[in-house]
Amino acid sequence: MAPAPPPPLTGLRVLDLATLFAGPLAATMLGDFGAEVIKVEHPRKPDPSRGHGPAKEGVGLWWKLLGRNKRTITLDLSTKGGRETLLKLAGTADVVIENFRPGTLEKWGLGYEELSAVNERLVLARVTGFGQFGPYAHRPGFGTLAEAMSGFAAITGEPDGPPTLPPFGLADSIAGLATAYAVMTALTGRQRTGRGQVVDMAIIEPILTVLGPQPLWYDQLGLVQPRTGNRSTNNAPRNTYRTADGRWVAVSTSAQSIAERVMRLVGRPELISEPWFATGAERAAHADVLDEAVGSWIATRTRTEVIAAFEQAQAAVAPIQDVRDVMADPQYAALDTLTTVDDPELGPLRMQNVLFRLSETPGAIQWAGRPHGADTDEVLSELGLSAGDISELRTEGAV
């Protein structure tokens, strides 16, 4: 039996200089498919993600996910030794990912001019709140601001309620995925030109992209999408509905055939013949009628009964699950979406698996996030630094 081929990004070296979520998540995505990722943190100021959220035995659990497949070293880039060491590392790397405010790397003598001088094939991915130029470029930028500025919060929530922010890092996560895509695009370009380039990723942009055609609607029709709660302006019935056992399900009828099946299922086939039922937008304008029909039927049945009936009718329904349900869901189990990683600090950990499955060169989780600076000596020794050189860097405070 032939040995399995290596993961597709084997041989790619990535320096993760970024903190918190968007930039580091991009590096995680690359590491999941075989890239060698070296996480570079300040010696005395670890990545704040290590302290975000709950911890077990003093170890941050978010970091275990975000830091997987990364070797961790420390470097103070503002010191002479830190700068020189980073340039040596850059000479061996394919990608550097950073999220400092514009001008910070340049202040330290580590801008793209200096980095590309030691490695013309290097791709520098710069992830910031607002991009590298423009009137907001030098403001501190976080995903929350992108969720507010992009129009996401304005359309989220009940019609008579306030704009609503997501309870997780939505904009950062979208930007992280977009950055991984951008890096791979730049690397593909390098195959043709032989040279690297700068990726300028503003967190305010990817979330605006996934919000869909709102700018186009406004440009052509002057239309401003309102807050509609769980309803849609494009189709109905589309909502969350409470079952007889106090649980919840979500129903979607984006396709006309599904909408008709739902009406037959809930005993209201006469609504199908209404003139307004023929299009999603017109159904949405009559959402009160449709919600009453669907909601009253669902309210007399348990969630198990509702899902079974919808499946038999080939109509679209899903239980509204919290993390307890997700961990026990048979479809996620079949896909191994939540997999177990053995960790020397905390033992077996269940976390999200790599994001997608490749049939020939799959990705893998080799290890969960490692302690701060755990691999400093090993990585620097690989660069050719002696034990004395590393000791001098420690004396300087560079590592």
Side-chain angles (χ1 to χ4, degrees), residues 55 190 245 317 334 347:
R190 187 180 73 173
D245 51 351
V317 69

Side-chain angles (χ1 to χ4, degrees), residues 162-177:
T164 302
L165 295 167
F168 67 103
L170 176 64
D172 278 310
S173 299
I174 296 171
L177 295 172

Side-chain angles (χ1 to χ4, degrees), residues 189-213:
R190 187 180 73 173
Q191 293 177 357
R192 299 175 179 174
T193 67
R195 295 185 58 82
Q197 59 185 299
V198 176
V199 173
D200 179 4
M201 178 62 68
I203 295 173
I204 61 172
E205 292 183 303
I207 188 171
L208 181 58
T209 295
V210 303
L211 281 170

Side-chain angles (χ1 to χ4, degrees), residues 80-392:
K80 178 176 181 293
R83 175 186 180 275
E84 291 175 350
T85 304
L86 193 281
L87 286 173
K88 289 180 182 178
L89 274 171
T92 70
D94 298 281
V95 180
V96 171
I97 301 175
E98 63 97 2
N99 70 335
F100 301 105
R101 288 200 208 182
T104 302
L105 282 186
E106 286 75 8
K107 179 180 67 176
W108 294 334
L110 291 169
Y112 191 65
E113 183 178 350
E114 291 86 358
L115 293 172
S116 62
V118 300
N119 183 357
E120 67 174 8
R121 292 175 55 80
L122 187 72
V123 171
L124 175 62
R126 317 195 74 168
V127 185
T128 56
F130 304 105
Q132 293 296 308
F133 56 91
Y136 303 163
H138 290 275
R139 293 182 183 179
F142 299 100
T144 298
L145 308 187
E147 290 147 10
M149 289 180 58
S150 62
F152 172 85
I155 64 169
T156 305
E158 294 299 324
D160 56 352
T164 302
L165 295 167
F168 67 103
L170 176 64
D172 278 310
S173 299
I174 296 171
L177 295 172
T179 301
Y181 165 63
V183 166
M184 296 309 301
T185 302
L187 290 171
T188 301
R190 187 180 73 173
Q191 293 177 357
R192 299 175 179 174
T193 67
R195 295 185 58 82
Q197 59 185 299
V198 176
V199 173
D200 179 4
M201 178 62 68
I203 295 173
I204 61 172
E205 292 183 303
I207 188 171
L208 181 58
T209 295
V210 303
L211 281 170
Q214 287 189 57
L216 182 59
W217 289 342
Y218 182 74
D219 175 64
Q220 295 297 304
L221 302 172
L223 177 64
V224 178
Q225 183 173 333
R227 284 194 293 283
T228 57
N230 291 317
R231 289 178 171 177
S232 169
T233 57
N234 301 312
N235 63 81
R238 191 265 199 183
N239 213 327
T240 60
Y241 305 92
R242 191 167 187 168
T243 60
D245 51 351
R247 307 177 85 179
W248 293 84
V249 296
V251 173
S252 176
T253 55
S254 296
Q256 181 71 20
S257 60
I258 300 295
E260 294 176 5
R261 290 174 195 168
V262 170
M263 289 303 104
R264 294 189 185 99
L265 172 64
V266 301
R268 299 295 299 276
E270 76 280 2
L271 293 176
I272 299 172
S273 61
E274 293 285 351
W276 50 261
F277 197 87
T279 69
E282 282 296 308
R283 293 200 312 273
H286 293 79
D288 287 343
V289 174
L290 297 173
D291 274 345
E292 191 282 327
V294 176
S296 61
W297 184 90
I298 287 175
T300 63
R301 292 161 173 82
T302 66
R303 189 170 78 171
T304 299
E305 291 170 339
V306 169
I307 291 174
F310 267 73
E311 287 186 352
Q312 186 174 8
Q314 299 185 47
V317 69
I320 294 179
Q321 302 189 145
D322 64 19
V323 67
R324 294 167 295 187
D325 303 311
V326 170
M327 299 289 272
D329 186 282
Q331 182 61 31
Y332 284 130
L335 297 174
D336 197 27
T337 306
L338 296 162
T339 197
T340 300
V341 180
D342 289 323
D343 180 66
E345 285 188 287
L346 298 179
L349 305 173
R350 289 188 73 193
M351 65 173 66
Q352 295 94 321
N353 208 339
V354 297
L355 189 58
F356 48 87
R357 289 162 292 281
L358 296 181
S359 63
E360 299 299 322
T361 56
I365 303 172
Q366 300 179 68
W367 60 80
R370 291 170 54 74
H372 181 230
D375 305 291
T376 300
D377 286 25
E378 179 182 66
V379 171
L380 298 189
S381 296
E382 292 170 0
L383 275 181
L385 276 67
S386 67
D389 295 330
I390 297 171
S391 178
E392 282 187 29

